[in-house]
Amino acid sequence: MLSVHLVFVTKYRRKIFDGRSILSLRNIFSMICKDFNGRLIEMDGEKDHVHLLVEYPPKVSISCLVNHLKGISSRLIRK
């Protein structure tokens, strides 16, 4: 398994995350990682960014994983 530290920043560093949205993101990111046979080891955030420590199998490309993490979480949070 490979590990990667990811930092996702909001557009224009807008301060939109609160405790509830960070908790929702943690659940969403964890679900997406399981779909890729990986796991979300750790996640935390502040008002304008989130940090993730993700473990994933070598057969998964990091760009594909990041695209899914950002795309799916963005759609679900905006609902």
Side-chain angles (χ1 to χ4, degrees), residues 49-62:
H49 68 280
V50 292
H51 292 262
L52 290 82
L53 183 58
V54 177
E55 195 173 72
Y56 65 100
K59 66 181 179 181
V60 174
S61 75
I62 188 65

Side-chain angles (χ1 to χ4, degrees), residues 12-27:
Y12 307 119
R13 299 287 288 207
R14 290 192 177 130
K15 299 181 183 335
I16 59 170
F17 295 136
D18 58 2
R20 192 185 70 181
S21 62
I22 290 175
L23 184 61
S24 296
L25 282 172
R26 184 176 290 128
N27 293 332

Side-chain angles (χ1 to χ4, degrees), residues 16-67:
I16 59 170
F17 295 136
D18 58 2
R20 192 185 70 181
S21 62
I22 290 175
L23 184 61
S24 296
L25 282 172
R26 184 176 290 128
N27 293 332
I28 293 167
F29 288 145
S30 181
M31 175 191 67
I32 296 167
C33 288
K34 284 180 187 172
D35 290 343
F36 281 89
N37 296 321
R39 70 183 178 115
L40 180 66
I41 298 172
E42 193 173 333
M43 187 222 156
D44 201 6
E46 294 187 20
K47 293 196 179 291
D48 62 352
H49 68 280
V50 292
H51 292 262
L52 290 82
L53 183 58
V54 177
E55 195 173 72
Y56 65 100
K59 66 181 179 181
V60 174
S61 75
I62 188 65
S63 61
C64 183
L65 178 62
V66 168
N67 284 339

